Amino acid sequence: MVSQEMFQLGNKRSAIRELFEYGKMRAGIVGKENVYDFSIGNPSVPAPACIEEAIAEIFATEDSSAVHGYTSAQGDLSVRAGLARYMSEQFGMPFTADNFYMTCGAAASLCISLKALTEEKTDEYIVIAPYFPEYKVFVEAAGGTFREVAPDKESFQIHFAELEQTIGSTTKAVIINSPNNPTGAVYTAETIRKLSELLTRKSEEYGHPIFILSDEPYREIVYGGVEVPFIPQYYANTIICYSFSKVLSLPGERIGYILVPDQTEGCREIYTAVCGAGRALGYVCAPSLFQKVVLKCLGKTSDMEVYKANRDLLYDKLTSLGYRCVKPDGAFYLFMEALESDAAAFCEKAKEFDLLLVAGDGFGCPGYVRISYCVAKDMLERSFGAFEKLRAAYPG
């Protein structure tokens, strides 16, 4: 009667969503203040003032039908043109409106891009562990084949020996995410150069371009002046999938874009396929109001110092308790080694103290847990007693 594949996806939420729902249930029993929910990457920092100011200006100066009406399928032309001007100035590359397709956030950007690129089920998309678990869902829904590369646990950069062995004649693209969810690691310029050199060599070897799909919802969330390389400056065959959700604290508004630079091989064909994929998936006319809002807020961010303070507070406390953690350079996640080999069992143990952590298994990195620290500072501080109890449950 229905697709069993879709039934299974609908019947069981992602581990992150399951834990988030569990947290809401527990809050109803023991009180919200007694649940330490680090499950989901839902920004806790208020949206910057420019958001409210932009909305007020738009409603004061524009006709209601224009604010709430349809835009062009690929996004409002003036919004895309303004985005192109901003990105050209920021990165010193020539972009036009027709390099951009406005979307309902990075998930939609990825799904559209994958649908646009996939020709055969044998088309393979390689991800670097640890990775956002929904990549597998997105790739397979687009009709492609999902492949993963084991993590480099020393640096959480790219394990290049593993990647080179994984790339083959049917590799269509490598999906990267930097700053990374779940580690907070930022790929260095040297990492991106090595990746570019490898993919250039492999593209020549197999006689077709191997693309980079760069998933970038955390691009501006970095600490201590860490540089986030802009991938098209290093590798021509790059497609950017971007979201404003995290940097402007707008996750529920679902607004982002796809960027297909002119230097990308077959760029016009790819962009047309992106438009077709958006049509086929029903991802046309991204929210009109927030297309206009983000245009007025380009270059602005929420208060990133709040996340930095949370990172420092959490990292210092956990390491003082004897936990081993990856210190993140970006995003708002801390990746911590579980105190037993089975991270899922460790997370179940943590729930005894109403401490909600996400096992690393779903991210392709068993033995670790993800802690989302985009939470209120007082909740973070109150959670430390639970972390102490959890540590005490593993003597030695």
Side-chain angles (χ1 to χ4, degrees), residues 345-358:
F346 176 73
C347 290
E348 284 300 311
K349 187 69 176 176
K351 286 163 75 172
E352 295 179 15
F353 309 104
D354 285 308
L355 193 57
L356 307 187
L357 315 175
V358 183

Side-chain angles (χ1 to χ4, degrees), residues 157-308:
Q157 295 291 307
I158 295 176
H159 198 310
F160 280 102
E162 291 276 350
L163 177 58
E164 183 159 7
Q165 289 179 357
T166 306
I167 294 172
S169 62
T170 57
T171 300
K172 179 58 69 84
V174 176
I175 302 173
I176 65 172
N177 172 222
S178 173
N180 179 259
N181 174 11
T183 65
V186 176
Y187 287 163
T188 65
E190 179 59 25
T191 290
I192 298 304
R193 284 191 200 96
K194 288 180 68 175
L195 177 61
S196 302
E197 290 165 3
L198 174 60
L199 295 185
T200 297
R201 177 161 51 84
K202 287 296 183 179
S203 296
E204 292 171 356
E205 179 181 343
Y206 293 119
H208 65 82
I210 298 173
F211 298 96
I212 290 178
L213 282 180
S214 186
D215 178 28
E216 301 188 359
Y218 305 99
R219 184 196 293 153
E220 295 87 356
I221 305 178
V222 290
Y223 313 116
V226 170
E227 177 197 358
V228 179
F230 185 60
I231 314 300
Q233 292 177 331
Y234 294 79
Y235 188 67
N237 291 320
T238 296
I239 298 169
I240 300 289
C241 298
Y242 183 84
S243 172
F244 294 94
S245 294
K246 312 296 187 180
V247 70
L248 290 175
S249 298
L250 297 174
E253 307 304 344
R254 313 308 299 150
I255 191 72
Y257 61 77
I258 299 167
L259 167 59
V260 184
D262 285 340
Q263 65 188 26
T264 304
E265 186 172 335
C267 62
R268 287 301 94 202
E269 182 182 4
I270 292 172
Y271 185 83
T272 301
V274 162
C275 293
R279 178 185 177 189
L281 295 170
Y283 285 139
V284 294
C285 307
S288 174
L289 171 60
F290 275 87
Q291 287 191 51
K292 298 173 185 293
V293 168
V294 297
L295 176 63
K296 291 180 179 293
C297 296
L298 292 174
K300 304 291 178 59
T301 72
S302 298
D303 186 356
M304 297 297 127
E305 287 302 309
V306 174
Y307 295 139
K308 182 181 183 299

